[in-house]
Amino acid sequence: MSAKKGLHLTLKIWRQKNTKTKGQFETYKISDVSTDSSFLEMLDILNENLINEGKEPIAFDHDCREGICGMCSLYINGRAHGPDTGITTCQLHMRMFKDGETIVIEPWRSAAFPVIKDLMVDRSAFDRVMAAGGFISVNTSGNTLDANAILVPKEDADKAMDAAACIGCGACVATCKNGSAMLFVGAKVSQFALLPQGRVEAKRRVLNMVKAMDEEGFGNCSNTGACEVECPKGISLENIARMNREYMSALVDKG
């Protein structure tokens, strides 16, 4: 039996030295790529080839390679995380592509996510939004109630856990025509708003996080739903609606 042939591909990859320089697409050929390999493994092979040729490898983000960390932020053939649903780039396998295909690979496109180098973008804006209110302040004086003793309706707990599944990859921002971060912020607000531990600071939290989101330059939500479609964790648009309700309630109370 003859050995299984690998894919022969043409890669059009965005190369950019840093944030201040102008970038451009460069074309690379790669051969005998196993259909069982992941997309990032394919890029590893390409980089190994480039290094062997004395050329500069392509910079791209990655960490866990298990669909958990959200680092592998790539725009592939016009879709965040590539031509599949419910996955991150590291979970995308080369069997999704055809032999001889041309694959266009870009970084996230958003003013709030400036390019660091090649396919890497600066997503620290998400960190600053979280620092503005994405946490719970806990009194550790010794008189605190054990969290396991606080009753939470299962429906609320399930919704909170669904919201907390957000890994902050930024696919929602990258796929939104307005570069909106409302699905991300809505998920982070919801995971606390649905639980009694998060209600104490709920109004201050939503006001501060929405303010930080606006200051970072993210766009407004236009209800097209692209963010939910491309989210690798299936975060629901219901979280945006919940954030809006929380925000309006906080504004009314603030007067």
Side-chain angles (χ1 to χ4, degrees), residues 190-205:
S190 290
Q191 72 183 64
F192 295 123
L194 287 161
L195 300 176
Q197 295 92 333
R199 294 310 307 169
V200 178
E201 300 171 289
K203 298 186 185 302
R204 181 173 62 189
R205 175 183 301 108

Side-chain angles (χ1 to χ4, degrees), residues 171-229:
C172 52
V173 177
T175 199
C176 176
K177 63 181 181 180
N178 294 333
S180 173
M182 290 189 73
L183 189 67
F184 166 76
V185 180
K188 299 306 180 182
V189 167
S190 290
Q191 72 183 64
F192 295 123
L194 287 161
L195 300 176
Q197 295 92 333
R199 294 310 307 169
V200 178
E201 300 171 289
K203 298 186 185 302
R204 181 173 62 189
R205 175 183 301 108
V206 69
L207 291 174
N208 289 344
M209 292 185 74
V210 170
K211 179 182 178 182
M213 175 181 68
D214 291 340
E215 289 175 347
E216 292 294 338
F218 292 106
N220 293 320
C221 176
S222 55
N223 293 316
T224 59
C227 55
E228 181 182 52
V229 172

Side-chain angles (χ1 to χ4, degrees), residues 16-180:
Q16 186 170 338
K17 187 175 181 180
N18 54 50
T19 303
K20 297 181 179 179
T21 59
K22 186 177 180 180
Q24 69 284 320
F25 282 105
E26 294 187 7
T27 302
Y28 303 90
K29 299 285 187 178
I30 187 168
S31 301
D32 201 26
V33 177
S34 171
T35 54
D36 294 327
S37 63
S38 73
F39 197 85
L40 295 189
E41 288 171 336
M42 181 274 293
L43 290 179
D44 289 337
I45 295 170
L46 175 62
N47 275 344
E48 185 176 353
N49 293 342
L50 290 175
I51 292 170
N52 290 337
E53 294 170 5
K55 299 177 182 178
E56 185 174 7
I58 296 154
F60 63 94
D61 260 330
H62 62 92
D63 192 4
C64 75
R65 300 202 179 199
E66 294 179 344
I68 299 172
C69 71
M71 292 287 287
C72 53
S73 49
L74 295 180
Y75 216 70
I76 304 165
N77 283 351
R79 289 190 63 180
H81 294 304
D84 205 347
T85 55
I87 63 163
T88 54
T89 299
C90 64
Q91 295 173 305
L92 177 66
H93 285 81
M94 298 310 297
R95 54 180 168 267
M96 295 296 297
F97 302 93
K98 297 178 181 178
D99 187 40
E101 187 171 350
T102 296
I103 305 175
V104 181
I105 310 169
E106 305 172 71
W108 285 165
R109 300 296 191 183
S110 172
F113 290 160
V115 174
I116 297 173
K117 183 176 181 180
D118 295 341
L119 303 176
M120 296 177 64
V121 298
D122 182 356
R123 287 174 294 173
S124 60
F126 272 5
D127 297 330
R128 291 187 288 274
V129 172
M130 291 298 292
F135 54 86
I136 294 175
S137 298
V138 179
N139 181 353
T140 57
S141 63
N143 298 319
T144 54
L145 182 64
D146 189 330
N148 291 328
I150 302 174
L151 297 179
V152 180
K154 185 179 186 304
E155 182 179 359
D156 291 345
D158 288 345
K159 289 180 179 179
M161 288 297 291
D162 289 343
C166 170
I167 57 177
C169 68
C172 52
V173 177
T175 199
C176 176
K177 63 181 181 180
N178 294 333
S180 173

